[in-house]
Amino acid sequence: MAKEKMVEQITSMDVDFAQWYTDVVKKAELADYSGVKGCMIIRPYGYAIWENIQKELDARFKALGHENVYMPLFIPESLLQKEKDHVEGFAPECAVVTIGGQNVLSERLIVRPTSETIFCEHFKDIIHSYRDLPKLYNQWVNVVRWEKTTRPFLRTSEFLWQEGHTMHETEAEAREETLQMLKVYEEFYLNCLAIPAITGQKTEKEKFAGAVETYTIEPMMHNGVALQAVLRTISVRALQRRLTSPLRAEITP
């Protein structure tokens, strides 16, 4: 009697890189497809990787004074509309809630594609003078972006991520924070994930919507395509007539 095959055939990378990747994810039992297109079930092995990423990075953040918070899943459309550049960058990808229970909502709610606008609204309420600065906040959450083309972990409609926002008294302090955290991610990628990556500033065309500058960390995949892994931005907001700068960072598994 022939032995049962433990692992079904995995497509060769040289034949079809995209299919090879999907085969490995499924055969390794990292994730599976769900009943909603673009949304995946992260299985125990896959989620354990995320937990280790979270544990390692969270310790690094807290050592530098960052605190964890949680922002709401839903963002009022009027709040998002305040940031015109932000809306233009995310509008095609937004999931919108129009009905709650059996009632049509008086205002549409956006399922967070990022929490930048709600962070800024909160900072406006809690920062009253330079004595309240800096504010170094971070959150570990899920976000939703209605992607047309999806692939497990690399690009899905709902995914887990880390998102940090900080506020500073001066632009110089904001820039120092940005570059310091960029180094944290770079060290983590190299020494914990064993993934070499290119670190640098995005071009004017590629920078994040509403940003003054955007910095990135991008590993190179086997097929020669760069994969954006970390994004840090500098943008400027005026709060209580003082110049402050929120920074945003994100990392996806």
Side-chain angles (χ1 to χ4, degrees), residues 113-147:
T114 170
S115 297
E116 181 173 348
T117 55
I118 205 162
F119 262 102
C120 289
E121 186 76 3
H122 178 59
F123 283 142
K124 183 192 71 173
D125 293 335
I126 66 172
I127 297 174
H128 305 293
S129 80
Y130 70 91
R131 294 181 180 86
D132 298 322
L133 298 171
K135 279 285 185 284
L136 309 176
Y137 280 178
N138 176 70
Q139 69 171 356
W140 298 91
V141 294
N142 64 332
V143 294
V144 172
R145 297 181 185 176
W146 218 252
E147 301 283 357

Side-chain angles (χ1 to χ4, degrees), residues 16-23 25 33 37-38 40 147-157 221:
D16 188 334
F17 179 77
Q19 188 58 50
W20 166 84
Y21 173 81
T22 302
D23 288 347
V25 168
Y33 295 106
K37 183 182 182 300
M40 63 178 176
E147 301 283 357
K148 292 182 179 179
T149 304
T150 60
R151 193 169 302 283
F153 294 112
L154 294 182
R155 187 176 292 275
T156 52
S157 296
M221 295 192 294

